[in-house]
């Protein structure tokens, strides 16, 4: 059986996902597109035989020929589309963030629970990355004993002018927020944000770099650097310090060169390339799960917990104080 997929939002990552659903992955076909920019949707449809453009995301969700929905529109529009898909009983893959506020995520959680079916997967692709999975396995197997501390960094070479301080949390560090909680299977209790001296490469509306300090329920301390104008490349680092040893996220494979009296390896420039395999694996996983009727992977509760944490980080960034991270108790549905 082929899963007939409708994609809402055909911008940068929407087009990337359409391409992988069409040319790389198996078991799915993109049959429907919608975007507020109708011209862009028409353009994207031109390369997809049989794909129909719908005037709105709502019309796409309601279409009889659409079995499942991919939401890759702007963050503030996610809630409405995910709720619409849930109401229609259709599996939905929603790019991060699930929604832009914790309250909105909670509305999604409640709507999903009310259907009694797991329909929502959030695009936290790091859980599908080979390196992160190997790191999690080492932790789960007890290789380094109980985790005590995590040091991590999320560095981008540069960001556009429209990227402002809050985005360092809600757009960028949100990946660490989800991945680290999954890695050590521990919820968070508080957050603090430190603002070192700004790089000269930033602008008036962006504190860069920042350091996020998070404490977990079991007492693990996390320090995460977000530095989005680091210049030299896209670099994701993670080191977990345990009672018996230290486990680090492997570097992406890269040829080691000995040349001109130097030993060197290339550093990627772009997150699309760094996580290209994990996007493929996450969407393939979603296709299989959607066909079986039970979506797995990062779920609406994970989206909610990430939003609660991001809200606390934003508050901490504004006040300079330690902000508590207070989430609802996890419903049995997501156990
Ligand atoms: P983009 O701006 O390139 O594309 C967004 C598209 O959504 C545009 O074509 C826009 O016209 C359309 N759109 C906006 N409002 C709409 C509405 N109400 N209905 C239908 N379409 C609408 O943005 P980009 O970079 O593709 O990001 C999209 C989402 O994907 C964001 O939530 C972003 O955080 C997430 N993302 C996730 C990444 C990951 O690593 N998992 C990487 C990049 C983006
Ligand atoms: C971007 O929006 C993403 O989601 C990428 O995965 C991330 O690494 C990048 O820093 C964000 O800006």
């Amino acid at each position: 059986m082929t899963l007939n997929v409708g994609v809402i939002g055909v911008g940068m990552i929407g087009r990337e996902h359409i391409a992988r659903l069409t040319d790389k992955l198996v078991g799915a076909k993109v049959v429907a597109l919608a975007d507020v920019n109708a011209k862009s949707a028409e353009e994207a449809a031109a390369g997809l035989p049989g794909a129909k453009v719908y005037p709105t995301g709502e019309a796409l969700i309601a279409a009889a020929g659409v079995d499942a929905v991919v939401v890759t529109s702007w963050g503030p529009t996610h809630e409405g589309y995910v709720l619409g898909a849930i109401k229609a009983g259709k599996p939905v893959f929603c790019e991060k963030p699930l929604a832009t506020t914790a309250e909105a995520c909670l509305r999604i959680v409640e709507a999903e629970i009310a259907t009694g079916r797991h329909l929502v997967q959030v695009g936290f692709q790091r859980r599908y990355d080979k390196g992160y999975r190997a790191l999690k396995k080492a932790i789960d197997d007890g290789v380094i004993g109980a985790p005590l501390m995590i040091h991590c960094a999320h560095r981008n070479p540069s960001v556009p002018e429209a990227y402002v301080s809050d985005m360092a949390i809600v757009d960028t560090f949100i990946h660490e927020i989800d991945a680290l909680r999954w890695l050590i299977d521990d919820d968070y209790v508080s957050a603090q944000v430190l603002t070192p001296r700004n790089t000269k490469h930033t602008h008036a509306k962006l504190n860069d770099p920042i350091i996020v300090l998070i404490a977990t329920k079991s007492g693990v301390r996390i320090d995460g650097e977000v530095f989005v104008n680091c210049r030299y490349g896209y670099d994701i680092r993670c080191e977990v310090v345990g009672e018996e040893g230290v486990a680090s996220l492997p570097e992406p494979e890269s040829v080691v060169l000995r040349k001109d009296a130097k030993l060197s390896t290339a550093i990627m420039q772009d997150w699309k390339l760094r996580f290209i395999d994990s996007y493929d694996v996450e969407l393939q996983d979603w296709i299989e799960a959607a066909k079986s009727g039970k979506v797995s992977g990062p779920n609406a509760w994970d989206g909610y917990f990430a939003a609660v944490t991001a809200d606390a980080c934003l508050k901490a960034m504004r006040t300079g104080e330690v902000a508590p991270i207070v989430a609802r108790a996890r419903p049995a549905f997501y156990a």
Side-chain angles (χ1 to χ4, degrees):
M1 169 213 163
T2 298
L3 186 75
N4 290 322
V5 176
V7 179
I8 305 177
V10 298
M12 197 252 313
I13 202 152
R15 288 190 189 223
E16 295 261 327
H17 287 342
I18 289 168
R20 53 174 54 89
L21 287 165
T22 306
D23 302 324
K24 271 180 139 180
L25 309 182
V26 292
K29 184 173 185 219
V30 177
V31 297
L33 301 174
D35 197 296
V36 278
N37 181 344
K39 193 164 160 259
S40 179
E42 293 292 349
E43 267 169 29
L48 301 170
K52 188 172 165 192
V53 173
Y54 287 82
T56 63
E58 288 79 5
L60 177 149
I61 293 168
V66 171
D67 303 324
V69 181
V70 167
V71 178
T72 41
S73 48
W74 291 326
T77 68
H78 291 183
E79 179 192 5
Y81 292 137
V82 174
L83 285 173
I86 293 173
K87 203 166 161 214
K90 297 186 181 182
V92 52
F93 173 90
C94 178
E95 259 310 337
K96 48 70 63 168
L98 174 59
T100 46
T101 66
E103 293 72 28
C105 291
L106 209 49
R107 286 192 283 276
I108 292 173
V109 160
E110 283 163 359
E112 189 181 37
I113 293 175
T115 68
R117 290 177 59 202
H118 287 272
L119 292 167
V120 181
Q121 179 170 327
V122 185
F124 287 131
Q125 82 282 356
R126 290 194 188 179
R127 295 187 186 206
Y128 296 89
D129 176 69
K130 213 163 76 179
Y132 270 101
R133 285 186 162 187
L135 181 56
K136 178 160 177 60
K137 185 167 182 331
I139 297 165
D140 289 350
D141 289 351
V143 177
I144 58 163
L148 305 171
M149 294 175 282
I150 302 181
H151 311 297
C152 62
H154 187 146
R155 300 190 188 128
N156 294 52
S158 62
V159 285
E161 195 71 16
Y163 186 109
V164 293
S165 285
D166 283 7
M167 292 169 78
I169 303 291
V170 299
D171 202 46
T172 298
F173 192 68
I174 195 96
H175 284 292
E176 272 73 20
I177 290 176
D178 178 69
L180 304 182
R181 176 174 158 267
W182 163 79
L183 209 51
I184 58 171
D185 194 17
D186 198 358
D187 280 343
Y188 305 142
V189 293
S190 71
Q192 191 181 3
V193 176
L194 309 180
T195 49
R197 183 166 77 86
N198 274 337
T199 164
K200 68 176 182 187
H201 299 296
T202 192
H203 56 82
K205 291 184 177 161
L206 173 62
N207 279 325
D208 189 39
I210 59 168
I211 298 168
V212 184
L213 302 175
I214 288 181
T216 75
K217 211 167 168 180
S218 78
V220 174
R221 296 299 311 228
I222 295 168
D223 57 272
E225 169 200 316
V226 184
F227 187 14
V228 294
N229 283 292
C230 81
R231 279 359 215 193
Y232 72 85
Y234 181 70
D235 200 6
I236 301 299
R237 312 181 66 83
C238 183
E239 181 184 78
V240 183
V241 181
E243 282 173 338
E244 311 293 342
V246 175
S248 298
L249 183 68
E251 291 287 341
E253 269 170 26
S254 171
V255 171
V256 178
L257 277 183
R258 286 172 163 79
K259 194 169 183 243
D260 299 334
K262 284 194 191 102
L263 184 64
S264 65
T265 60
I267 295 178
M268 285 178 184
Q269 294 294 300
D270 192 332
W271 51 264
K272 274 180 250 164
L273 279 181
R274 167 66 180 82
F275 287 109
I276 193 160
D277 295 335
S278 44
Y279 293 119
D280 291 347
V281 181
E282 87 175 330
L283 272 182
Q284 188 65 61
D285 188 63
W286 176 73
I287 294 168
E288 304 307 329
K291 284 206 266 187
S292 79
K294 186 176 183 230
V295 169
S296 53
N299 58 33
W301 184 256
D302 298 317
Y304 162 71
F305 202 93
V308 172
T309 307
D311 284 352
C313 292
L314 291 177
K315 187 170 175 205
M317 189 155 70
R318 275 181 207 118
T319 61
E321 289 171 6
V322 176
I325 298 173
V326 186
R328 295 268 181 98
R330 188 202 305 242
F333 185 75
Y334 297 105

